Amino acid sequence: KVDVVCPNKKKDDTIKTSVHDFEGDQTYSEKPGHNFKLNATFDDIKDKLDDYDGLYIPGGRSPEYLSVDKNVIEIVQDFAKKKKVIAQIC
């Protein structure tokens, strides 16, 4: 099972994603991606972290927000302490 959460969002909220489209040798533009539906909240998952095998942190602009979010920091620390898989895309 995969649960998708986002700071300051509720279950069933939708978040926007973006796609970087290369339009030349060194130029890209940001275009609308998918609208992604969240299926959980941090409160839903915080007591079930042992049930998860891995953690995926999306890239783009999100790391600048996620890296200072208390819930995200606690989850990353828990996964690292337990030597679970943590993946992040830049």
Side-chain angles (χ1 to χ4, degrees), residues 41-53:
T41 66
F42 283 107
D43 286 340
D44 294 337
I45 67 166
K46 68 181 177 183
D47 293 328
K48 303 187 310 180
L49 294 181
D50 287 337
D51 294 347
Y52 297 98
D53 295 322

Side-chain angles (χ1 to χ4, degrees), residues 16-70:
K16 295 179 182 181
T17 65
S18 62
V19 175
H20 290 156
D21 188 13
F22 288 90
E23 298 179 0
D25 292 336
Q26 296 182 9
T27 304
Y28 70 87
S29 62
E30 188 173 277
K31 295 190 167 70
H34 304 284
N35 290 327
F36 208 85
K37 186 176 179 181
L38 305 174
N39 66 347
T41 66
F42 283 107
D43 286 340
D44 294 337
I45 67 166
K46 68 181 177 183
D47 293 328
K48 303 187 310 180
L49 294 181
D50 287 337
D51 294 347
Y52 297 98
D53 295 322
L55 174 66
Y56 169 77
I57 302 169
R61 294 184 183 167
S62 66
E64 63 192 78
Y65 301 105
L66 297 177
S67 66
V68 296
D69 185 87
K70 179 181 155 249

Side-chain angles (χ1 to χ4, degrees), residues 76-88:
V76 169
Q77 289 173 337
D78 183 81
F79 273 68
K81 183 173 78 176
K82 294 174 181 169
K83 299 189 184 319
K84 290 188 173 188
V85 174
I86 301 171
Q88 194 221 351

